[in-house]
Structure formats: C-alpha cells, structure tokens
Amino acid sequence: MEFLVSEMIVLQKYVVLDVETTGQSAAKGDRIIEIAIVLIENNQITSQYSQLINPEKPIPAFISQLTSITDEDVATKPVFSEVVADFIHMFDDAIFVAHNVYFDLTFLNEELERNGHSPIKPKVMDTVELARILLPKASSYKLNELAEYLLISHENPHRAISDALVTADLFIILLHKLRSLPLVVKEQLRYLSRRLRSNMDQLGELLDSPVQRSDIDIYQGFALKSTVSSEQHEDGIDDTYGEFLEKMYGREGQLASLFTEYEKRPSQQFISEKIYDHFRSHEHALIEAETGLGKTIAYLIPAVYEALHHNQRVVISTTNTNLQSQLIEKDLNKLQLQLPVAIVKGKNHYLSLQKFEQYYHDSSYFSYQDVLFKSMILVWLTETTTGDLDEIQFAVDKQPIYHQIIVNHERTAAPWKEYCFYRRMLNKAKSALIIVTNHALLTIDSKTERPLLPNYQRLIVDEAHQLEQVATNHSGLSLSYFELTSYLQLLEKNYGNLSDMLTRIEHVKYEADILFRQLFQLVKNENQKQKSVTEIGRFKAVWEPNEQTKDSVDRTVMMLAYLGERLEQIDEEEQNQLGQIKQTLQRLLAVEDNASVTWLEIDQNGAENAVFVHQEPFSVQTLLHDQLFNRKEAIILISATLTMNKSFQYIRNKLGMSTLSAKEYMVEHHFDYKHNVELLIPDDLPAIQYPRNDDFIYAVNEAIISLAEQSSGRMLVLFTSYDMLRKSYYLLKESDYLSDYMIIGQGVTSGSRNRLIKQFQGFDKSILLGTNAYWQGIDIPGEDLSCLMIVKLPFQSPQDPVYKKKANYYQAKGINPFMEIALPQAVLQFKQGFGRLIRKKSDRGVIFVMDDRLMTKRYGRTFMGSIPEIPVHYDHFEKLLNRVRKWL
C-alpha cells in the first residue's frame, strides 16, 4: 500500500495498549495475562513496555494455544498490583489507542479498580474503526490481516508487545492516510466522527492542512477519483495460435516466468487448444476438468487470443461477483497482456451518487452504523473509479439503507449524470473485448428485451454446474417486507412534502404490515407441524394462494395502485418502478402458477413482519435453450463437476442442450488419487432415520472426537442440514476431549466464509463444520486439511416443502422425481465435497463418509462411479480408525 506521505508534525502523545487475557469478559472475572504499551510522540515510537502478569487463575487451553502463554509461563510472574506503578504514568496527557479500544481499556480499568486505583478516562482512538474508514477496501480488519495487507511485519501474533507494535505502526499509517485526503473529506470526517469512538477533532492540525491531489475532482461538495483513463492496450497479436501457446506454456514462456516450480501440464494446454477450436468452428463444448489443474488460465489464453487476434468479444461468466474481480486482478493479469476488459454486474451493485448525496445530508440517518458507513464511502469515493459497492469490506447489503443508495433504474438527474457509475460501466463494456460477468446477470440478460451485455457470440461459463440453479433462482421472483418498506421510505424522502403522498404511502405501509404479519404466522404455524430450515437457519413454508390472506393481498395491491396513480402525476419512471413491485407482489401471492413454486422464509427470531417471499420455475431448459445456447455461436461450459457416472447427459438435459450439437471432454486426472486418498465408510453406525436422527448424530460426534485425536484436528465436516450442524457444534463444544480444539461452525461462529476458513487454517487443532456453501468453492490446500468427513449423502430432505412441490410437478408429468432431481443433484454435490480434500499434487488424506447407503443401496454405485478410483474400505469404525492412525 502506498499513500501520499510527507513531513507530518504531530505534537500529540499517543499511548498504544494491548492486553492478552484469560477470556473475553472482564466483568465475568477474566484477567490480564500480558500487557504491552507503546508510546508514540512526534509521529515516532519513542518507548515501549511489556510484562507477563500472573492472573491468579488458570489459563484456558484455548487461550494458551492462541497466545502460547501457559500457566507455567506466568506462575512466577508478578501480579498486576506489583507492576501497575511501572507504567500507569505513561497514560498521562495521552490519547489512548488500541485495536478494538474498549476491550483493552475495559480490562485495564477493571484491574485498576480491583487494585484500589481510579479508572482512567482518556480520549480514545480505535484502530479498528479508523481502519474501516480509511482503508475501506481492506479484506479484513483483524490486526494480523491488516498487517499483511499493509506489509507490516508481525512476527508473533496474539502476543501483547507484537500486537501493540503492529497497532502503533498501523496507527501511524492511518494518520498518514488521513493527512493525504482532500481537505473537503477531512472536514466531512471531522464532523461525522463526533458520533464515533475516534473523534477526529482530537487530531487538530492534521485535519487542517490542505493537500494537493491531481487525481481528485471536487464536485457537488464531494471528492471523487478522477476518471481520466491511462490504460494501455495491445494493438493485437500477429502470432499463430500455436506460437502464442508456446509463448504462454513453453519452457521460457509467460507461465514459467511466473512460477518458480512451473511444469507444463498437457491437460491444461489441451483445454486451451479445444476451446480455441470451438471458437473457430462455432460449436458448443462441455469440459470437465478437476480443480487444481489451472483451468482458469487454460480458458483465459484462448479468450485473449480470440479477442486480440480475431477482434472477437468474449464473455466469461463466473458463479458470483467476488470471483469476477478476482479473475481479472489475479488471473488475467498473470498473462501480462493489456486489452480492453470490463466487469459487468447488475444495478444493485453500484452506488448512486445522487442518492448518496441525499443520504449524506439527511440528519435522520445519524446512527453509529450510518455515520461509519457514510465515512467509509467518503474515503472510498477518493479511490474508486467503478462505484462497485463490492469493493467495500462492509456488509453493505445487510444495512437498512442499502436499497436506498443503489442504482435501481438507469435514469440519473442532471447534476450527477456524468458521474453515474452504472452508466460508466455500461459504456466501458461497449468497447471491451473481454467481459467478465456472473451467472445471475447472464441469465437476466438472456431474457430481457434490453440486454446489458453488448453483442457477443463467444461465451465461457466457469463453474458451469451451477448455471442451472442460478438461472432457476434468477428466472423467478422475490420480494421481502424489508425491500418493500425501504422503497416506501425512499418515496417518503423524495415526495413526502407533496399533497396527500404521505397519506397514500402510510396506507400501503399499514396494509403491507398486516399482510406480512399474516405470512409470518403462516410460516410459524407450518413449522410447528413440520420444521423446515434453510441452510442459513430460516424457517420456510410453501405458499399456496388461500382465502385467509386473499383480502390482505388484494388490499395491499389496491393501495399500491392508489399510490401509483398519484406518483404517475409526478414521476412516470418512479411510477413504473412502483408498478413492477405491485406486479411482483401479485404474481407471488395472488396468481397460481403451475410451472413454478413459491415459498416463504422467516428468521426464527426475526420481527413478526420480516418475511422473504421467493418464487422459481421448475425448469429453465426452454429459457436457456432458446435465449442462450440457440443464439450464440460457441459456448464453453467448464467445471470440475459436470458428469454423473461419467456421463454429461444430466447436465445437458437440465441446461436445455439435449438436442444441440456440443462436444464433450473429460480431462484426465492430474492428481494421484489412488496413492494419496482413502475412502472409509463405517458399517456400524446407527441407521439414518428421518426426522429424528439423535442416535446417528451422537455417533457421528463420537467419531469426530476420535478422528480429531488421530488427525490433530485439520478436519472439515460437511453436513446436509444446518440443524444437524448446530447440534453437532454444541455437542463438540461441550466435549472435555476437545477442550484445546478450535471448533468453528458455519452460521454459529461469527464471520464470513473466508474469515472462518482463515480461522481454521490459523490453528493447529481446529475442526470446521460446514453445510451447503462449504461443499464447493473453498480451497484449503496442504497440511491444513487432512481429514474430510461427509456426514450424510447430500440428498435434499424428502420432507422439504419446496422439494415436495417440485417432486409432485415431475410425478404429474410421469417422471421419477428421485431420478430427475434428488439423485443427480446429490451426486454432483458429493463430487464437489470430495474435491475439497485434494487441491495440489502433494496433498494426501482420508475421506470418511458416515452414510453407508453408499455401499448398501443400488444408487451408491452412481456416486462411486462419479469420483476418481481410490481405495475404499467398508468396515467397523474402530478398524477404520486404525487405518487412519497408520495413514496420518
């Protein structure tokens, strides 16, 4: 990271504190075991203090593993009262700085008061809060990850002096970053920070000094990153494709120069050759290639050549928006070829500057979260040229204001027209030769009358096994109470001063509240009869139009129409937006559609009107066949999981490709599975019974404990049910045998998927429990993962209300739902789960499948025939455990 750093005079004294403790709560008796203090004067570290403290109570095993501080280490050390005089004077006339400041300050004051001293009440600066504001693009705000991001040396994380020194370095960098901001931004931050922990008024002259920034435009009172493009593009490629491949893959080629241990992979080059062949012959292809082969580079090479040599636009679609940026920033840049590239996402990813201006000046949005969010965006606007909110490391989409600051239509008022990020993205896409999008937008673009993507004939679909499900999700409809009320609040802000508008809006809100409360109660009642829980813990129930709620639906729709009549007189485009919401509500709750399923979800402890309504079609075959595959010259579907029992037929049927010409390729395995993996299936566990699986769950958790002792953790346990995962998490946490293990549970342990994986990799003894989202798309190579457990074959619950509705649909058409839905989906997910263990050639480990239907049911052969050939052992658990002892 580089900032505009120059001479900076800071007369203020700062004292940086870090403490290691026996736990998280000083109020509940947790105590300090190590204290470190670093003094910053005149922008330099001038002194430091460090001391182990005897807490006069045992240190938990988990804390010892985290900090490496044991009971023996502190047994002969002084207690707090014996050393407090050595450092307490350092806090005099200083601003108190810490990473999560009130944690350290609370522990210090608790110890002071316990020992008869008065608590200190300093001015504070919180480096977590400051980093969120001043480094809005940082991937994480944990201290060790910020250190990595800023290239700060952090040799001993979770030891007080190391953490304190890193915090001090971080704070100095943050002060430099703050100074480098345009004066208008510093004035805005000073005003907003009065509601934050870190009141920037305390920084005095630092905020007053103007800085010359040639890369910033000041417009409408905001500092915006200049949009002057300095991108250089290749004129083209004159080499033949064979020559180009040699420049990439050869011994002296581009890839060899990037990777010190590079070895040419025939399978990788094979993919590059076949994709180019299909681009030239205008024919579709399906390619199954295992993870770790380098398939991203393999498909980028022909895409780049097609663009630069033949001047043909190539669209690449990935599974989600995060992977879009990663594909360009990490993978495409490795090829070191400059060409016009654009990322295309939906409108709801882009900040509307027009709406942000309203939000910033609206004093009713002045909560802590609002002030923090406004501050982050102000700094981010000096850095971003895209306006893509995915760049901000903040759970933006979970903020109540989110729907009021994004672009929801293409119209922008005159003052901000030239600064519309969404229009800027669309314009950039028109001149791009490589466009990176996602499956959701690809689906929406295929069926819309006004496509977002410029004309193209060549498409590469990465992780293509997910295309059908994403297309299904985004070919349907959804609406939540939260979305509806957020939109109504926006109307209040914009038009609330007009005659009778507020009255009409209030009528809609009143009727909608009654309707969504009825829907909430319906889901609650259904789940009292038969619990159905989504992977994120929501209750769900299938919706059927009924007399009980018909009146509420009709009244809400009528009030929306009443509001629309008034809105039509003011703003026709806004009236169209409201009309779409009304139409969506009608189609979801008032119209019976035999070709789709509608269901409701509620948070188990959510507000009694917080309902999420979803609808999706039973099939997208016709849509994809007519609007995508039949209209493009060459579509390449590539994934590690496209075949079932070595056949592409299932995926071809689901994607509407069964009658289309398309070649199929199964790329040879790159890894030595026969020697690096063993598949172990116990034959003596309790039978799996639905809905009560208590005996099976207890047996599985006993097995996890036994396996953990043999593998020292390093275990990923994949569940098919969030409910079962939660039960297992708490059983394992209560086990005395795992007291020194880090147990991490998806949806139970706080944090994103990436953060939980980093936690898992950061501890020697750790067990990660995951459900659907963890069966695919996670990468834990090397010794961090040596034991994979699949608790059950990933069949969707036959009692799931949405599955039952789909099953009835297929049965009515004379199709076996088990063979059409349940088995193929389970096999593909099983293959994805299997692929989590081996990520590179040197990886080795064991896979436990605790579900012996893999061996006892006829369909087990379909599962086994869909994974690489590996040694399989079906025996009593204790005998299998002996194999693990020898294996690991």
Side-chain angles (χ1 to χ4, degrees):
M1 297 291 296
E2 293 183 4
F3 302 119
L4 297 173
V5 179
S6 60
E7 288 295 323
M8 179 170 66
I9 299 173
V10 180
L11 301 177
Q12 180 63 58
K13 181 173 84 169
Y14 302 98
V15 61
V16 181
L17 175 72
D18 187 86
V19 295
E20 302 301 332
T21 64
T22 59
Q24 295 294 307
S25 176
K28 293 181 180 179
D30 286 319
R31 304 278 285 277
I32 293 174
I33 58 177
E34 187 177 31
I35 187 168
I37 301 168
V38 173
L39 203 61
I40 301 174
E41 296 174 290
N42 298 326
N43 203 37
Q44 292 184 344
I45 295 172
T46 56
S47 63
Q48 54 185 273
Y49 171 88
S50 178
Q51 178 65 55
L52 284 169
I53 304 285
N54 186 339
E56 300 179 288
K57 66 181 296 185
I59 300 173
F62 165 73
I63 296 295
S64 290
Q65 184 184 357
L66 179 69
T67 63
S68 74
I69 301 172
T70 65
D71 289 327
E72 291 75 18
D73 293 328
V74 298
T76 60
K77 299 301 178 183
V79 296
F80 184 86
S81 61
E82 295 173 331
V83 297
V84 62
D86 297 341
F87 60 77
I88 193 65
H89 64 280
M90 299 176 75
F91 296 99
D92 294 342
D93 302 318
I95 292 178
F96 187 98
V97 180
H99 203 67
N100 193 3
V101 68
Y102 287 126
F103 176 88
D104 298 88
L105 182 57
T106 299
F107 267 97
L108 176 63
N109 278 334
E110 193 77 21
E111 292 282 12
L112 288 172
E113 289 191 90
R114 196 174 60 82
N115 288 281
H117 297 273
S118 298
I120 63 172
K121 298 178 181 179
K123 295 177 180 178
V124 301
M125 300 297 287
D126 186 348
T127 52
V128 173
E129 185 179 73
L130 287 173
R132 284 186 179 277
I133 294 168
L134 297 170
L135 306 174
K137 292 185 179 181
S139 58
S140 166
Y141 297 100
K142 288 192 169 184
L143 187 61
N144 59 328
E145 292 176 32
L146 277 171
E148 184 180 343
Y149 178 69
L150 296 168
L151 305 179
I152 301 171
S153 175
H154 195 190
E155 296 175 359
N156 206 353
H158 301 296
R159 289 302 299 265
I161 189 59
S162 180
D163 284 355
L165 286 167
V166 169
T167 302
D169 286 338
L170 168 63
F171 183 62
I172 291 170
I173 288 173
L174 292 173
L175 292 181
H176 281 303
K177 175 67 182 292
L178 184 60
R179 184 186 184 280
S180 73
L181 292 173
L183 187 59
V184 63
V185 178
K186 288 189 280 195
E187 289 170 350
Q188 290 164 330
L189 293 179
R190 186 201 292 261
Y191 168 72
L192 290 171
S193 71
R194 292 166 188 167
R195 297 296 295 266
L196 300 175
R197 294 189 285 270
S198 308
N199 187 338
M200 295 184 190
D201 274 335
Q202 299 163 173
L203 300 177
E205 294 180 3
L206 179 68
L207 293 174
D208 297 330
S209 53
V211 175
Q212 296 299 318
R213 293 280 299 267
S214 60
D215 62 330
I216 294 293
D217 296 334
I218 306 298
Y219 187 75
Q220 295 288 107
F222 295 98
L224 307 172
K225 183 75 172 176
S226 239
T227 58
V228 177
S229 175
S230 59
E231 294 180 5
Q232 300 293 319
H233 299 310
E234 303 274 344
D235 293 332
I237 297 176
D238 295 326
D239 299 329
T240 65
Y241 190 55
E243 291 168 339
F244 184 66
L245 286 180
E246 184 60 26
K247 285 184 176 179
M248 293 291 123
Y249 288 116
R251 286 187 178 181
E252 306 297 326
Q254 182 63 36
L255 298 181
S257 68
L258 285 169
F259 305 105
T260 52
E261 298 181 3
Y262 171 74
E263 60 179 36
K264 193 171 183 178
R265 299 174 181 174
S267 297
Q268 190 180 32
Q269 184 164 337
F270 172 82
I271 294 170
S272 296
E273 291 169 352
K274 289 303 174 185
I275 291 175
Y276 180 67
D277 288 346
H278 282 266
F279 282 163
R280 295 290 86 218
S281 62
H282 300 174
E283 189 177 15
H284 304 326
L286 300 97
I287 303 173
E288 184 173 79
E290 67 190 1
T291 304
L293 185 65
K295 59 182 172 63
T296 304
I297 293 293
Y299 69 64
L300 281 174
I301 287 173
V304 168
Y305 186 83
E306 185 75 6
L308 290 178
H309 184 78
H310 296 286
N311 199 36
Q312 289 285 341
R313 178 178 288 120
V314 180
V315 172
I316 299 169
S317 182
T318 64
T319 51
N320 58 58
T321 55
N322 291 334
L323 289 176
Q324 288 180 251
S325 300
Q326 180 180 310
L327 194 148
I328 290 177
E329 292 167 8
K330 292 185 178 179
D331 298 307
L332 193 56
N333 287 346
K334 288 177 183 176
L335 302 182
Q336 294 184 0
L337 291 168
Q338 302 296 322
L339 72 167
V341 178
I343 293 178
V344 177
K345 300 181 183 180
K347 289 181 285 191
N348 61 338
H349 290 275
Y350 295 93
L351 177 73
S352 165
L353 285 168
Q354 178 180 326
K355 293 179 181 178
F356 176 69
E357 181 183 32
Q358 295 172 342
Y359 170 54
Y360 173 77
H361 290 296
D362 191 335
S363 59
S364 65
Y365 291 111
F366 218 62
S367 67
Y368 177 84
Q369 290 296 326
D370 283 314
V371 169
L372 183 62
F373 189 34
K374 288 179 182 181
S375 300
M376 288 180 71
I377 292 182
L378 288 170
V379 175
W380 174 64
L381 288 175
T382 69
E383 301 174 2
T384 185
T385 58
T386 68
D388 181 355
L389 285 162
D390 289 339
E391 294 177 355
I392 297 182
Q393 298 307 317
F394 196 75
V396 183
D397 56 342
K398 292 184 173 66
Q399 298 307 309
I401 193 63
Y402 175 69
H403 293 282
Q404 296 184 34
I405 61 168
I406 57 173
V407 177
N408 57 17
H409 49 63
E410 293 183 40
R411 186 198 59 175
T412 306
W416 287 109
K417 200 165 189 179
E418 296 304 312
Y419 286 90
C420 176
F421 290 120
Y422 180 67
R423 292 172 64 89
R424 187 183 299 171
M425 176 274 294
L426 293 178
N427 289 333
K428 185 175 182 181
K430 290 176 184 176
S431 60
L433 287 174
I434 299 281
I435 291 177
V436 182
T437 189
N438 56 77
H439 296 354
L441 189 134
L442 183 71
T443 302
I444 294 167
D445 188 71
S446 298
K447 64 178 187 173
T448 186
E449 294 179 3
R450 297 174 59 193
L452 293 176
L453 299 173
N455 183 47
Y456 69 96
Q457 288 299 322
R458 286 145 183 76
L459 169 66
I460 297 171
V461 182
D462 195 3
E463 300 298 327
H465 65 282
Q466 295 194 38
L467 178 60
E468 187 264 343
Q469 185 57 56
V470 174
T472 300
N473 294 343
H474 287 83
S475 294
L477 300 167
S478 67
L479 184 68
S480 69
Y481 180 77
F482 176 69
E483 289 175 88
L484 177 58
T485 54
S486 290
Y487 179 70
L488 293 173
Q489 287 170 8
L490 186 62
L491 291 182
E492 282 181 333
K493 296 290 181 188
N494 293 340
Y495 308 109
N497 60 334
L498 299 177
S499 172
D500 80 341
M501 275 294 289
L502 273 180
T503 303
R504 295 186 186 221
I505 292 170
E506 286 301 321
H507 283 324
V508 176
K509 289 167 74 173
Y510 177 79
E511 296 297 342
D513 183 65
I514 293 173
L515 170 61
F516 278 85
R517 284 178 183 275
Q518 290 179 344
L519 298 178
F520 186 96
Q521 196 59 47
L522 185 151
V523 180
K524 197 171 181 181
N525 292 342
E526 286 296 313
N527 276 269
Q528 286 174 347
K529 302 176 200 171
Q530 176 74 60
K531 186 184 286 189
S532 178
V533 184
T534 70
E535 67 173 87
I536 59 173
R538 287 178 181 161
F539 286 147
K540 70 177 178 180
V542 163
W543 163 256
E544 303 278 1
N546 61 71
E547 291 300 321
Q548 180 185 358
T549 55
K550 183 178 184 301
D551 182 58
S552 288
V553 173
D554 290 345
R555 289 186 64 81
T556 305
V557 169
M558 184 173 67
M559 289 298 105
L560 285 167
Y562 180 56
L563 174 60
E565 289 171 5
R566 180 71 178 94
L567 201 57
E568 187 177 17
Q569 301 167 10
I570 307 163
D571 188 326
E572 187 175 343
E573 193 159 347
E574 201 71 73
Q575 191 266 341
N576 290 337
Q577 181 81 7
L578 184 72
Q580 289 176 14
I581 292 174
K582 178 173 73 72
Q583 186 181 46
T584 297
L585 187 67
Q586 285 179 297
R587 288 179 59 188
L588 286 169
L589 300 177
V591 177
E592 207 160 353
D593 183 355
N594 294 327
S596 67
V597 57
T598 302
W599 72 97
L600 316 173
E601 295 180 6
I602 63 171
D603 290 319
Q604 296 186 36
N605 299 310
E608 294 195 350
N609 53 15
V611 182
F612 304 83
V613 190
H614 302 280
Q615 183 186 89
E616 62 181 40
F618 292 123
S619 171
V620 290
Q621 294 171 342
T622 302
L623 168 71
L624 293 176
H625 176 279
D626 294 350
Q627 305 300 325
L628 189 63
F629 292 102
N630 223 22
R631 293 188 174 188
K632 306 303 175 187
E633 291 178 357
I635 298 179
I636 311 298
L637 301 170
I638 187 165
S639 170
T641 314
L642 287 179
T643 65
M644 184 176 73
N645 214 5
K646 299 181 173 58
S647 168
F648 287 90
Q649 196 56 48
Y650 170 73
I651 200 75
R652 288 181 65 129
N653 289 341
K654 297 301 285 184
L655 295 177
M657 297 181 67
S658 55
T659 61
L660 294 173
S661 172
K663 289 189 177 176
E664 304 165 352
Y665 304 94
M666 290 183 66
V667 180
E668 291 183 7
H669 293 306
H670 180 63
F671 302 129
D672 187 1
Y673 288 103
K674 286 185 178 179
H675 294 97
N676 288 352
V677 185
E678 285 199 352
L679 178 59
L680 310 174
I681 305 130
D683 64 3
D684 54 350
L685 294 187
I688 298 173
Q689 297 178 336
Y690 193 87
R692 297 195 61 82
N693 275 323
D694 290 350
D695 291 343
F696 176 73
I697 292 172
Y698 283 119
V700 165
N701 282 279
E702 288 174 4
I704 291 172
I705 293 167
S706 299
L707 275 170
E709 292 173 348
Q710 299 306 315
S711 64
S712 297
R714 299 180 294 163
M715 289 179 62
L716 171 62
V717 185
L718 295 175
F719 293 84
T720 58
S721 155
Y722 179 73
D723 191 47
M724 189 183 290
L725 183 153
R726 283 180 61 89
K727 288 178 182 176
S728 295
Y729 174 85
Y730 290 113
L731 285 170
L732 295 174
K733 289 288 282 186
E734 292 167 6
S735 169
D736 293 335
Y737 297 103
L738 299 180
S739 59
D740 58 343
Y741 281 72
M742 168 74 90
I743 312 297
I744 303 166
Q746 173 196 354
V748 187
T749 309
S750 61
S752 65
R753 184 172 71 166
N754 287 341
R755 181 169 292 183
L756 296 189
I757 291 169
K758 284 186 176 180
Q759 273 186 265
F760 171 73
Q761 292 177 296
F763 289 87
D764 293 334
K765 291 185 174 182
S766 54
I767 301 171
L768 176 59
L769 315 179
T771 182
N772 291 0
Y774 285 70
W775 286 72
Q776 57 190 334
I778 66 171
D779 189 16
I780 310 175
E783 295 182 357
D784 290 337
L785 177 62
S786 59
C787 181
L788 171 70
M789 178 184 286
I790 294 175
V791 174
K792 287 174 63 178
L793 295 180
F795 288 110
Q796 193 167 7
S797 166
Q799 301 303 316
D800 179 90
V802 175
Y803 173 80
K804 287 169 75 173
K805 184 83 172 178
K806 289 182 178 180
N808 292 339
Y809 168 80
Y810 281 104
Q811 277 183 324
K813 294 170 71 71
I815 299 170
N816 183 332
F818 179 79
M819 299 303 294
E820 180 65 22
I821 313 173
L823 181 60
Q825 289 180 354
V827 170
L828 292 178
Q829 187 165 339
F830 181 77
K831 286 181 68 175
Q832 284 288 326
F834 176 92
R836 296 314 97 203
L837 182 64
I838 304 298
R839 313 296 293 177
K840 59 183 184 179
K841 272 192 171 182
S842 57
D843 286 357
R844 67 192 305 273
V846 295
I847 298 177
F848 260 87
V849 177
M850 311 306 282
D851 186 343
D852 75 344
R853 291 179 294 178
L854 194 63
M855 306 302 292
T856 61
K857 299 293 184 181
R858 181 185 297 178
Y859 58 69
R861 284 177 283 182
T862 305
F863 285 91
M864 298 298 288
S866 300
I867 60 174
E869 290 185 23
I870 56 174
V872 179
H873 301 279
Y874 180 48
D875 211 332
H876 292 349
F877 179 75
E878 282 301 321
K879 290 185 178 179
L880 298 178
L881 199 59
N882 288 332
R883 295 198 64 85
V884 176
R885 291 189 185 105
K886 296 173 185 176
W887 185 260
L888 299 179

